[in-house]
Amino acid sequence: MGTILTSRMADDKKVVIELMLEYDEYIQLKGHLHNVHVFSEDNVQTKANISQRGRNASTKYFLIPKSMRKNLKFTEETTCHKIELPTRKIFIYVVNKGGI
């Protein structure tokens, strides 16, 4: 997990930050240094569940919490990314606003 070492305001009302990451986390970016989003696990407050179906619970579904389901109409493909950490796996789904 990373840590923000320093932050300062830029001239165009943006914030410049300096991050410190484990090398393995940096490698997971695979050289993609644009369109990077920063979030904190400490800020996550909505509980969610995983449903298991099929023989030996072989199929797993990430359930969208009821509080986030309003006006969802999935008409496009969704992309997913998995971040591997020593003690956790983080799954991030990206849905275009036109698809919801």
Short mmCIF file of all heavy atoms in Angstrom, two decimals, residues 28-55:
data_model
loop_
_atom_site.label_atom_id
_atom_site.label_comp_id
_atom_site.label_asym_id
_atom_site.label_seq_id
_atom_site.Cartn_x
_atom_site.Cartn_y
_atom_site.Cartn_z
N GLN A 28 2.64 -3.38 -10.99
CA GLN A 28 1.28 -3.70 -11.42
C GLN A 28 0.67 -2.63 -12.32
O GLN A 28 -0.29 -2.89 -13.04
CB GLN A 28 0.37 -3.94 -10.20
CG GLN A 28 0.69 -5.25 -9.50
CD GLN A 28 -0.28 -5.54 -8.39
OE1 GLN A 28 -1.49 -5.52 -8.61
NE2 GLN A 28 0.23 -5.82 -7.21
N LEU A 29 1.23 -1.42 -12.31
CA LEU A 29 0.77 -0.38 -13.24
C LEU A 29 1.15 -0.70 -14.68
O LEU A 29 0.58 -0.14 -15.61
CB LEU A 29 1.35 0.98 -12.84
CG LEU A 29 0.81 1.61 -11.57
CD1 LEU A 29 1.60 2.86 -11.23
CD2 LEU A 29 -0.66 1.92 -11.69
N LYS A 30 2.12 -1.58 -14.87
CA LYS A 30 2.58 -2.02 -16.20
C LYS A 30 2.94 -0.83 -17.09
O LYS A 30 2.67 -0.82 -18.28
CB LYS A 30 1.52 -2.89 -16.86
CG LYS A 30 1.23 -4.16 -16.10
CD LYS A 30 0.18 -4.99 -16.78
CE LYS A 30 -0.09 -6.23 -15.95
NZ LYS A 30 -1.16 -7.03 -16.54
N GLY A 31 3.54 0.19 -16.49
CA GLY A 31 4.00 1.33 -17.27
C GLY A 31 2.94 2.36 -17.58
O GLY A 31 3.22 3.38 -18.19
N HIS A 32 1.69 2.11 -17.19
CA HIS A 32 0.61 3.07 -17.44
C HIS A 32 0.61 4.12 -16.35
O HIS A 32 0.17 3.89 -15.24
CB HIS A 32 -0.75 2.35 -17.49
CG HIS A 32 -0.83 1.34 -18.59
ND1 HIS A 32 -1.08 1.71 -19.90
CD2 HIS A 32 -0.67 0.00 -18.58
CE1 HIS A 32 -1.09 0.62 -20.65
NE2 HIS A 32 -0.83 -0.43 -19.87
N LEU A 33 1.12 5.30 -16.68
CA LEU A 33 1.26 6.36 -15.70
C LEU A 33 0.27 7.51 -15.91
O LEU A 33 0.36 8.54 -15.24
CB LEU A 33 2.70 6.88 -15.69
CG LEU A 33 3.76 5.81 -15.42
CD1 LEU A 33 5.15 6.41 -15.47
CD2 LEU A 33 3.52 5.12 -14.09
N HIS A 34 -0.69 7.34 -16.82
CA HIS A 34 -1.75 8.33 -17.06
C HIS A 34 -3.07 7.70 -16.63
O HIS A 34 -3.21 6.48 -16.59
CB HIS A 34 -1.81 8.73 -18.53
CG HIS A 34 -0.57 9.41 -19.00
ND1 HIS A 34 -0.26 10.71 -18.68
CD2 HIS A 34 0.46 8.96 -19.75
CE1 HIS A 34 0.90 11.04 -19.21
NE2 HIS A 34 1.37 9.98 -19.87
N ASN A 35 -4.04 8.52 -16.32
CA ASN A 35 -5.36 8.07 -15.86
C ASN A 35 -5.24 7.20 -14.61
O ASN A 35 -5.89 6.18 -14.47
CB ASN A 35 -6.12 7.33 -16.96
CG ASN A 35 -6.46 8.24 -18.11
OD1 ASN A 35 -6.81 9.40 -17.90
ND2 ASN A 35 -6.36 7.73 -19.32
N VAL A 36 -4.39 7.61 -13.69
CA VAL A 36 -4.19 6.92 -12.42
C VAL A 36 -5.13 7.55 -11.40
O VAL A 36 -5.19 8.77 -11.27
CB VAL A 36 -2.72 7.05 -11.95
CG1 VAL A 36 -2.54 6.45 -10.58
CG2 VAL A 36 -1.79 6.40 -12.96
N HIS A 37 -5.86 6.72 -10.67
CA HIS A 37 -6.77 7.20 -9.64
C HIS A 37 -6.21 6.79 -8.28
O HIS A 37 -5.72 5.69 -8.11
CB HIS A 37 -8.17 6.59 -9.82
CG HIS A 37 -8.78 6.96 -11.13
ND1 HIS A 37 -9.54 8.09 -11.29
CD2 HIS A 37 -8.73 6.36 -12.34
CE1 HIS A 37 -9.94 8.16 -12.55
NE2 HIS A 37 -9.46 7.12 -13.21
N VAL A 38 -6.31 7.68 -7.32
CA VAL A 38 -5.80 7.43 -5.97
C VAL A 38 -7.00 7.32 -5.03
O VAL A 38 -7.89 8.16 -5.06
CB VAL A 38 -4.86 8.56 -5.51
CG1 VAL A 38 -4.38 8.32 -4.09
CG2 VAL A 38 -3.68 8.70 -6.46
N PHE A 39 -7.05 6.27 -4.22
CA PHE A 39 -8.10 6.13 -3.23
C PHE A 39 -7.49 5.53 -1.97
O PHE A 39 -6.42 4.95 -1.99
CB PHE A 39 -9.26 5.28 -3.73
CG PHE A 39 -8.92 3.83 -3.91
CD1 PHE A 39 -9.20 2.92 -2.89
CD2 PHE A 39 -8.35 3.36 -5.07
CE1 PHE A 39 -8.89 1.59 -3.04
CE2 PHE A 39 -8.04 2.03 -5.24
CZ PHE A 39 -8.31 1.14 -4.22
N SER A 40 -8.20 5.69 -0.88
CA SER A 40 -7.74 5.16 0.39
C SER A 40 -8.72 4.09 0.87
O SER A 40 -9.93 4.31 0.87
CB SER A 40 -7.65 6.27 1.43
OG SER A 40 -7.39 5.72 2.70
N GLU A 41 -8.20 2.95 1.30
CA GLU A 41 -9.05 1.91 1.88
C GLU A 41 -9.75 2.42 3.13
O GLU A 41 -10.83 1.95 3.48
CB GLU A 41 -8.23 0.68 2.23
CG GLU A 41 -7.76 -0.11 1.04
CD GLU A 41 -7.01 -1.35 1.48
OE1 GLU A 41 -7.58 -2.16 2.23
OE2 GLU A 41 -5.85 -1.50 1.07
N ASP A 42 -9.15 3.38 3.82
CA ASP A 42 -9.75 3.93 5.04
C ASP A 42 -11.02 4.72 4.75
O ASP A 42 -11.82 4.96 5.65
CB ASP A 42 -8.76 4.83 5.76
CG ASP A 42 -7.54 4.06 6.23
OD1 ASP A 42 -7.64 2.84 6.44
OD2 ASP A 42 -6.48 4.69 6.40
N ASN A 43 -11.22 5.13 3.49
CA ASN A 43 -12.37 5.94 3.12
C ASN A 43 -13.55 5.08 2.66
O ASN A 43 -14.65 5.59 2.48
CB ASN A 43 -11.97 6.92 2.01
CG ASN A 43 -12.97 8.01 1.81
OD1 ASN A 43 -13.64 8.42 2.73
ND2 ASN A 43 -13.10 8.48 0.58
N VAL A 44 -13.36 3.80 2.48
CA VAL A 44 -14.42 2.90 2.01
C VAL A 44 -15.36 2.61 3.17
O VAL A 44 -14.95 2.09 4.19
CB VAL A 44 -13.82 1.59 1.44
CG1 VAL A 44 -14.92 0.65 1.00
CG2 VAL A 44 -12.88 1.90 0.29
N GLN A 45 -16.66 2.95 2.98
CA GLN A 45 -17.62 2.80 4.07
C GLN A 45 -18.81 1.92 3.71
O GLN A 45 -19.54 1.49 4.60
CB GLN A 45 -18.11 4.17 4.51
CG GLN A 45 -17.00 5.04 5.05
CD GLN A 45 -17.47 6.45 5.35
OE1 GLN A 45 -18.64 6.77 5.23
NE2 GLN A 45 -16.54 7.30 5.76
N THR A 46 -19.05 1.66 2.45
CA THR A 46 -20.21 0.89 2.04
C THR A 46 -19.88 -0.60 2.07
O THR A 46 -18.94 -1.04 1.42
CB THR A 46 -20.67 1.30 0.63
OG1 THR A 46 -20.90 2.70 0.62
CG2 THR A 46 -21.92 0.58 0.22
N LYS A 47 -20.67 -1.35 2.79
CA LYS A 47 -20.48 -2.81 2.86
C LYS A 47 -21.08 -3.44 1.62
O LYS A 47 -22.09 -2.98 1.08
CB LYS A 47 -21.18 -3.38 4.09
CG LYS A 47 -20.70 -2.79 5.39
CD LYS A 47 -19.57 -3.57 5.93
CE LYS A 47 -19.21 -3.02 7.32
NZ LYS A 47 -17.86 -3.24 7.67
N ALA A 48 -20.47 -4.52 1.15
CA ALA A 48 -20.97 -5.26 -0.01
C ALA A 48 -20.78 -6.75 0.26
O ALA A 48 -20.08 -7.14 1.19
CB ALA A 48 -20.21 -4.83 -1.27
N ASN A 49 -21.42 -7.56 -0.56
CA ASN A 49 -21.35 -9.01 -0.39
C ASN A 49 -20.92 -9.69 -1.67
O ASN A 49 -21.03 -9.12 -2.76
CB ASN A 49 -22.72 -9.55 0.03
CG ASN A 49 -23.13 -9.06 1.40
OD1 ASN A 49 -22.39 -9.20 2.35
ND2 ASN A 49 -24.30 -8.46 1.48
N ILE A 50 -20.47 -10.92 -1.51
CA ILE A 50 -20.15 -11.78 -2.64
C ILE A 50 -21.08 -12.97 -2.56
O ILE A 50 -21.23 -13.59 -1.50
CB ILE A 50 -18.68 -12.26 -2.59
CG1 ILE A 50 -17.74 -11.06 -2.64
CG2 ILE A 50 -18.40 -13.22 -3.74
CD1 ILE A 50 -16.28 -11.43 -2.45
N SER A 51 -21.75 -13.27 -3.66
CA SER A 51 -22.67 -14.40 -3.72
C SER A 51 -21.96 -15.57 -4.39
O SER A 51 -21.18 -15.37 -5.33
CB SER A 51 -23.92 -14.01 -4.51
OG SER A 51 -24.78 -15.11 -4.66
N GLN A 52 -22.23 -16.77 -3.92
CA GLN A 52 -21.62 -17.97 -4.50
C GLN A 52 -22.71 -18.87 -5.03
O GLN A 52 -23.71 -19.10 -4.37
CB GLN A 52 -20.80 -18.70 -3.45
CG GLN A 52 -19.70 -17.84 -2.85
CD GLN A 52 -18.91 -18.59 -1.80
OE1 GLN A 52 -18.40 -19.66 -2.05
NE2 GLN A 52 -18.81 -18.00 -0.61
N ARG A 53 -22.52 -19.39 -6.23
CA ARG A 53 -23.51 -20.27 -6.87
C ARG A 53 -22.78 -21.43 -7.53
O ARG A 53 -21.58 -21.39 -7.75
CB ARG A 53 -24.30 -19.51 -7.95
CG ARG A 53 -25.07 -18.31 -7.45
CD ARG A 53 -26.37 -18.75 -6.79
NE ARG A 53 -27.24 -17.62 -6.53
CZ ARG A 53 -27.28 -16.94 -5.41
NH1 ARG A 53 -26.47 -17.24 -4.43
NH2 ARG A 53 -28.13 -15.94 -5.25
N GLY A 54 -23.54 -22.44 -7.87
CA GLY A 54 -23.00 -23.56 -8.63
C GLY A 54 -22.38 -24.63 -7.76
O GLY A 54 -22.32 -24.54 -6.53
N ARG A 55 -21.94 -25.67 -8.42
CA ARG A 55 -21.32 -26.81 -7.74
C ARG A 55 -20.06 -26.37 -7.03
O ARG A 55 -19.19 -25.75 -7.62
CB ARG A 55 -21.00 -27.90 -8.75
CG ARG A 55 -20.42 -29.16 -8.12
CD ARG A 55 -20.26 -30.24 -9.11
NE ARG A 55 -21.60 -30.68 -9.51
CZ ARG A 55 -21.84 -31.56 -10.46
NH1 ARG A 55 -20.84 -32.10 -11.11
NH2 ARG A 55 -23.06 -31.90 -10.76
#
